[in-house]
Amino acid sequence: PSNNPVTVGQKKKSPRACSYVLRNGFFQQHWYNCYTCGLVVDKGCCALCALTCHRGHEVAYSRYSSFFCDCGAEMGSAVEQNRVVCQCITPLMAEEADELFEEERSKNYLSPKNSCCTSLDNC
């Protein structure tokens, strides 16, 4: 499973926890850089962390590739590295996660630039 909302019947199911917790390792997913926290180049965050932990930060789409979320993986060193501590290690309530992704779908906060994707749903 990717870290993006998936179709279950007719309803989208949003991830409720950081992809690092869900998969604990590398897997194919969309991921994002947070320039505010220094998660750039080969470091980044999953979609849920971008929407939750890094909300209001300078976040940009990185790519779709084999990746694990550094926001969750490096939680223990976040404070000393002057980054936010992952708020998605413990699963969010389903309604809260759905609302975050619904807002993203309406405003395209995380849409990749210069690609065929216009939001996470289309990728």
Side-chain angles (χ1 to χ4, degrees):
S2 73
N3 193 37
N4 298 326
V6 294
T7 302
V8 177
Q10 294 291 6
K11 184 171 165 112
K12 299 263 183 201
K13 183 177 178 186
S14 302
R16 294 180 49 212
C18 172
S19 68
Y20 181 74
V21 173
L22 296 176
R23 295 290 294 263
N24 197 12
F26 287 90
F27 69 97
Q28 295 289 320
Q29 62 180 311
H30 295 278
W31 59 284
Y32 305 84
N33 294 122
C34 179
Y35 293 91
T36 306
C37 291
L39 297 178
V40 295
V41 186
D42 63 342
K43 294 187 181 238
C45 57
C46 66
L48 184 60
C49 286
L51 291 170
T52 305
C53 310
H54 302 275
R55 185 178 202 89
H57 292 191
E58 188 180 341
V59 173
Y61 183 79
S62 180
R63 63 188 162 274
Y64 182 83
S65 67
S66 184
F67 168 79
F68 70 87
C69 183
D70 293 291
C71 182
E74 298 181 2
M75 194 172 99
S77 61
V79 174
E80 64 192 41
Q81 293 179 9
N82 202 28
R83 292 188 289 109
V84 297
V85 175
C86 186
Q87 302 165 27
C88 303
I89 292 295
T90 303
L92 304 176
M93 298 295 292
E95 298 80 24
E96 183 180 4
D98 288 343
E99 285 176 18
L100 286 167
F101 279 95
E102 185 56 40
E103 184 178 357
E104 190 287 323
R105 282 189 285 279
S106 69
K107 297 185 179 175
N108 291 326
Y109 289 130
L110 303 179
S111 67
K113 297 197 185 323
N114 301 320
S115 80
C116 63
C117 301
T118 55
S119 78
L120 292 175
D121 288 339
N122 298 328
C123 300

